[in-house]
């Protein structure tokens, strides 16, 4: 999940795409997400300047950069607490 990019988030359909090249088993999957998580991601999809993140930016991490996984960010803690 730390490698999830905004291109993999479809807020209109309420789903995340886990791409095969990033999955442990190599299979691409579509994961439904709750309305609550859609609302959180909708609020989080803009950078500090108010612009939408680029599709290549990372969802979890600081200002669209990939998180290294050593210390949990607020986004990571939120992702762990929200279950569809």
């Amino acid at each position: 999940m730390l490698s999830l990019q905004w291109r993999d988030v479809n807020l209109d359909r309420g789903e995340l795409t886990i791409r095969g090249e990033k999955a442990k088993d190599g299979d691409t999957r579509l994961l439904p997400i709750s309305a609550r998580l859609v609302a959180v991601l909708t609020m989080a999809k803009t950078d500090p300047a108010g612009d939408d993140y680029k599709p290549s930016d990372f969802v979890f991490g600081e200002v669209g950069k990939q998180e290294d996984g050593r210390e949990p960010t607020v986004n990571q803690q939120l992702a762990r607490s929200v279950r569809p």
Side-chain angles (χ1 to χ4, degrees):
M1 290 298 282
L2 293 179
S3 63
L4 188 71
Q5 293 173 291
W6 283 106
R7 75 172 106 239
D8 302 321
V9 178
N10 187 325
L11 296 172
D12 294 329
R13 294 182 60 175
E15 63 188 22
L16 304 177
T17 301
I18 306 302
R19 298 184 184 276
E21 62 268 15
K22 296 180 180 181
K24 288 181 183 178
D25 63 4
D27 292 338
T28 296
R29 289 187 176 77
L30 294 178
L31 300 176
I33 57 175
S34 67
R36 187 168 139 187
L37 183 53
V38 168
V40 169
L41 291 174
T42 298
M43 289 187 297
K45 72 178 186 173
T46 55
D47 66 18
D51 299 318
D52 281 350
Y53 282 109
K54 296 178 291 196
S56 61
D57 287 336
F58 292 92
V59 175
F60 302 108
E62 292 299 318
V63 193
K65 296 179 182 172
Q66 187 172 19
E67 184 60 41
D68 64 12
R70 287 181 283 183
E71 186 174 325
T73 64
V74 172
N75 286 339
Q76 291 169 345
Q77 293 168 357
L78 178 62
R80 290 181 193 139
S81 69
V82 179
R83 303 250 187 315

